[in-house]
């Protein structure tokens, strides 16, 4: 997450430090655009190829693979004998991937999802590629309405020296760690998984999932999953969607920085983490 433009976060959230993270904990960044067509239309291989070619030109990265993609619909059907699970075929589309699978786009008749595990900054990793893919989509199938724009960042904080949950005190803010600070049972806590649902403003929401993780080396990590989205229905316009996604990015950055302590944020930016900042 970064802050390359003068846009401020939504909902009156505080502006965020624009410094890029040299020690970024980001595992994956995902942008999701959902839309409606006037008439049901399949996404052709020609459209997928055109998106791939535009991405190659804009990113300078080779998207080497185009593969068929299919959504599955799982439904619970009730009858006198009880409930039955049915697994039906859903929409068909295409998945466009780099050779190593670190970047990809899935395009279906009602949504386009772009994700990357090699995120550096908004404009390079998602902003420009997203706008390019949407422009091709608009030319090829002409979506009538935008029904959702969402942005999700999954951060996984790891440190081999964090052997106990309390080692994250001084890194993650107290209001996020919550029960760990209880005078009554804080010492009994052996794990937490929480979900916060935020109303950012009239059109924007956020879901923040977070909690401790057990690492392979025996240390304790922390997962922070921030999902911000706009579900207002408006005419489909790639430029409008791009501006909306920028605002979502600013908002996600502000929320991210509101979850970590300033000293730990500076260590993620590249400064040394000061000794004595962590309760052991």
């Amino acid at each position: 997450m970064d802050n390359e433009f003068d846009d401020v976060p939504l909902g009156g959230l505080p502006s965020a430090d624009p410094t890029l993270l040299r020690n970024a904990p980001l595992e994956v960044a995902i942008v999701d655009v959902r839309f409606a067509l006037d008439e049901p239309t399949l996404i052709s291989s020609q459209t997928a190829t055109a998106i791939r070619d535009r991405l190659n030109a804009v990113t300078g990265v080779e998207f080497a693979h185009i593969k068929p993609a299919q959504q599955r619909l799982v439904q619970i059907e009730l009858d006198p004998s009880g409930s039955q699970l049915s697994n039906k075929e859903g929409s068909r589309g295409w998945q466009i991937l780099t050779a190593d699978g670190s970047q990809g786009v899935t395009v279906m008749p009602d949504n386009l999802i772009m994700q990357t595990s090699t995120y550096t900054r908004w404009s390079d990793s998602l902003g420009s590629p997203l706008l390019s893919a949407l422009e091709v989509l608009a030319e090829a199938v002409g979506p009538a309405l935008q029904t959702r724009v969402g942005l999700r960042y999954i951060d996984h904080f790891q440190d081999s020296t964090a052997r106990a949950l309390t080692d994250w005190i001084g890194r993650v803010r107290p209001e996020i760690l919550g029960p760990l600070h209880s005078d009554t049972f804080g010492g009994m806590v052996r794990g937490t998984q929480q979900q916060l649902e935020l109303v950012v403003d009239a059109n924007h929401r956020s879901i923040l999932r977070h909690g401790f993780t057990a690492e392979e080396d025996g240390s304790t990590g922390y997962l922070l999953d921030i999902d911000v989205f706009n579900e207002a229905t408006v005419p489909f316009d790639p430029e409008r969607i791009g501006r909306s996604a920028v605002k979502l990015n600013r908002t996600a950055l502000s929320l991210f920085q509101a979850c970590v302590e300033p000293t730990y944020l500076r260590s993620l930016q590249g400064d040394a983490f000061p000794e004595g900042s962590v309760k052991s």
Side-chain angles (χ1 to χ4, degrees):
M1 289 168 282
D2 57 271
N3 190 4
E4 298 167 59
F5 308 96
D6 294 330
D7 303 78
V8 296
L10 298 161
L13 289 168
S15 296
D17 184 340
T19 307
L20 295 178
L21 304 185
R22 291 174 56 190
N23 305 313
L26 187 66
E27 286 201 334
V28 64
I30 306 166
V31 60
D32 171 27
V33 178
R34 301 180 193 176
F35 52 87
L37 303 168
D38 285 330
E39 298 290 340
T41 303
L42 292 176
I43 303 298
S44 68
S45 60
Q46 289 84 359
T47 297
T49 301
I51 292 174
R52 189 274 306 273
D53 292 345
R54 188 76 64 90
L55 289 173
N56 286 347
V58 169
T59 65
V61 176
E62 183 181 3
F63 284 76
H65 305 298
I66 301 177
K67 302 178 179 180
Q70 184 172 13
Q71 294 175 337
R72 306 294 299 184
L73 301 177
V74 178
Q75 297 177 328
I76 300 177
E77 299 176 351
L78 299 177
D79 58 37
S81 64
S83 61
Q84 302 289 331
L85 280 178
S86 64
N87 194 333
K88 300 180 179 179
E89 291 187 359
S91 301
R92 295 176 180 271
W94 300 92
Q95 191 173 36
I96 306 162
L97 298 166
T98 56
D100 63 0
S102 64
Q103 301 177 59
V105 176
T106 301
V107 57
M108 308 295 287
D110 59 358
N111 73 294
L112 182 146
I113 299 172
M114 180 173 291
Q115 68 181 57
T116 178
S117 60
T118 56
Y119 185 98
T120 54
R121 63 174 65 241
W122 170 256
S123 61
D124 296 337
S125 300
L126 287 176
S128 295
L130 175 65
L131 181 59
S132 298
L134 292 174
E135 288 174 342
V136 174
L137 189 68
E139 296 166 4
V141 301
L145 299 173
Q146 161 204 319
T147 59
R148 186 184 193 273
V149 179
L151 184 58
R152 185 175 180 183
Y153 289 104
I154 301 176
D155 290 285
H156 187 186
F157 303 103
Q158 296 172 287
D159 188 331
S160 61
T161 67
R163 312 306 293 185
L165 303 191
T166 51
D167 287 335
W168 289 97
I169 295 176
R171 307 183 192 209
V172 179
R173 295 205 182 194
E175 56 270 31
I176 301 300
L177 292 177
L180 206 61
H181 288 270
S182 170
D183 293 333
T184 304
F185 57 81
M188 303 177 184
V189 176
R190 291 297 176 266
T192 63
Q193 295 295 326
Q194 301 184 44
Q195 176 171 302
L196 305 178
E197 298 181 11
L198 309 179
V199 177
V200 179
D201 62 23
N203 291 322
H204 297 85
R205 303 288 187 270
S206 179
I207 296 176
L208 195 158
R209 305 172 184 88
H210 63 100
F212 292 101
T213 59
E215 306 302 327
E216 292 183 358
D217 64 358
S219 65
T220 299
Y222 204 83
L223 191 73
L224 180 60
D225 179 348
I226 298 174
D227 187 2
V228 289
F229 51 92
N230 176 356
E231 293 186 317
T233 300
V234 295
F236 187 92
D237 177 359
E239 291 284 349
R240 188 210 307 271
I241 295 170
R243 291 192 299 270
S244 178
V246 167
K247 292 181 181 295
L248 294 176
N249 181 55
R250 303 296 163 261
T251 304
L253 177 61
S254 180
L255 290 172
F256 172 86
Q257 294 187 5
C259 292
V260 298
E261 294 281 16
T263 51
Y264 188 50
L265 176 62
R266 288 195 291 273
S267 75
L268 296 174
Q269 293 169 341
D271 294 345
F273 192 66
E275 294 184 8
S277 298
V278 180
K279 179 180 177 181
S280 59

